Amino acid sequence: MSVQFILLAVLAVLTAIYLVFFIMDLIKHKENFEKKTNFIAMSIIGFIINFFDVFGIGSFATGTALMKALKQTDDRLIPGTLNVCFCVPVAIESFLFINGVEVEPLTLALMIIAAVIGAYLGAGVVSKLPTKMIRLLMGTALLAVGLVIAIQIMGLMPSTGEATGLHGVKLVIGVVVNFILGALMTAGVGMYAPCMALVCLLGMNPIIAFPIMMGSSAYLMPVASLKFIKEGAYNRKASFAIAFFGIFGVIVGYRFIKMLNLDALKFIIVIVMAYSALSLYYSAYKDSKKEKTSVRLNKDTAKI
């Protein structure tokens, strides 16, 4: 019995449990679906987001932006909706990439397990760290790594990146860093771009990042979703539309990415890293504005 089989079997069980609760909740509340939510609009959004998610763009930031821009759900339901609606598409991504990408089983298993444990154990620690500083540091790191990869693509620096696994010190570094990335997910820092950067820096083939980062997310999301479903803290109509049509987005996106050569893939990864870095900087900027507003309000209150 291979490591990949065990990983996928456990993932299948987690996803099946999530689906049972999700479908039962949908049936129970079928007469009370959100009227302000447009099913067709959310279906299109689900396809597009999950298509680009296959390329490592990430789904949470884009999902939040589109739902807020189109006013499809209440802000308080967005976190739950994002977790619930992307469970199935991300699970399918994991099945496709873990089966379709050659990666050494030990590297794959240890890095996924490290991320899951990091998310579980690191939540309390990370929540106490200044989120703005985390975002600024991660954004700067992504830009730096993206610049190195861009220089390699132009042939100005020797390029390495054909390994399908890690050994020795590199494996230890990979596991430790992925543990940290799993913990940072609890602070709202996406895992996809940093994991791509880690894989490239450690000399592995860039596509190795995809089964690792998607497998890590796929393990975390069903557990989180069960809580949101139980509390009814998500948009049912939006979640169903995105989950269903997101499946087709994943399948189409996977067919595209498998046709890319290594240089094209690296080019896409550079774009993803730049996008993620700018998103982190923007989030840090919003954090600063909130801090200034809070300080000003406290001063005004003190005067009164």
Side-chain angles (χ1 to χ4, degrees):
M1 190 179 294
S2 67
V3 172
Q4 284 94 335
F5 178 84
I6 295 172
L7 287 171
L8 292 177
V10 174
L11 177 58
V13 171
L14 288 173
T15 306
I17 294 171
Y18 146 81
L19 276 173
V20 169
F21 282 88
F22 181 38
I23 294 171
M24 286 176 61
D25 191 63
L26 290 177
I27 294 172
K28 182 179 177 181
H29 297 91
K30 62 182 179 181
E31 304 297 333
N32 300 314
F33 277 12
E34 295 77 6
K35 292 181 180 179
K36 67 182 288 187
T37 302
N38 186 302
F39 186 84
I40 295 175
M42 297 313 296
S43 299
I44 295 171
I45 287 174
F47 180 91
I48 294 172
I49 289 175
N50 285 285
F51 174 86
F52 287 106
D53 191 60
V54 173
F55 291 83
I57 296 296
S59 52
F60 275 34
T62 49
T64 299
L66 288 172
M67 278 191 267
K68 286 177 74 69
L70 298 177
K71 298 179 180 177
Q72 290 295 298
T73 189
D74 295 335
D75 286 355
R76 67 181 181 83
L77 298 178
I78 288 178
T81 303
L82 293 174
N83 276 275
V84 174
C85 74
F86 292 122
C87 271
V88 172
V90 172
I92 292 174
E93 286 176 1
S94 299
F95 273 85
L96 290 172
F97 280 103
I98 289 175
N99 275 320
V101 175
E102 183 184 353
V103 51
E104 292 184 16
L106 183 63
T107 300
L108 177 65
L110 289 180
M111 291 187 74
I112 288 178
I113 292 169
V116 173
I117 294 174
Y120 180 76
L121 297 179
V125 177
V126 171
S127 63
K128 298 175 184 176
L129 298 175
T131 304
K132 183 177 72 173
M133 185 58 66
I134 292 174
R135 286 171 174 161
L136 288 172
L137 290 173
M138 291 296 292
T140 303
L142 286 175
L143 284 179
V145 174
L147 180 61
V148 171
I149 296 172
I151 292 172
Q152 290 177 343
I153 293 173
M154 292 185 288
L156 302 176
M157 179 186 294
S159 175
T160 59
E162 299 299 325
T164 58
L166 299 171
H167 306 93
V169 176
K170 283 188 176 181
L171 179 59
V172 174
I173 293 172
V175 169
V176 171
V177 174
N178 229 41
F179 173 89
I180 296 170
L181 294 181
L184 289 174
M185 285 180 67
T186 62
V189 178
M191 184 176 192
Y192 280 17
C195 188
M196 287 181 183
L198 173 64
V199 163
C200 292
L201 285 175
L202 292 175
M204 286 194 286
N205 187 322
I207 202 168
I208 297 297
F210 289 82
I212 293 171
M213 66 193 185
M214 290 168 180
S216 301
S217 297
Y219 267 81
L220 295 170
M221 291 174 71
V223 179
S225 295
L226 290 177
K227 183 177 180 182
F228 288 114
I229 292 172
K230 182 179 178 181
E231 296 178 355
Y234 74 107
N235 184 308
R236 295 180 178 88
K237 186 190 286 188
S239 295
F240 175 66
I242 294 173
F244 185 76
F245 286 92
I247 294 171
F248 300 102
V250 167
I251 293 171
V252 175
Y254 180 75
R255 289 182 176 275
F256 270 80
I257 200 169
K258 290 292 285 185
M259 294 188 293
L260 296 174
N261 61 35
L262 189 59
D263 283 340
L265 180 60
K266 284 183 176 180
F267 178 74
I268 290 175
I269 286 174
V270 170
I271 293 174
V272 171
M273 288 182 182
Y275 166 80
S276 299
L278 292 175
S279 297
L280 288 166
Y281 283 139
Y282 181 64
S283 296
Y285 168 72
K286 288 198 296 184
D287 288 342
S288 295
K289 287 188 69 176
K290 287 180 182 178
E291 287 175 5
K292 289 178 181 178
T293 302
S294 178
V295 170
R296 186 169 63 250
L297 288 173
N298 288 335
K299 286 183 178 178
D300 291 342
T301 303
K303 289 179 181 177
I304 295 173

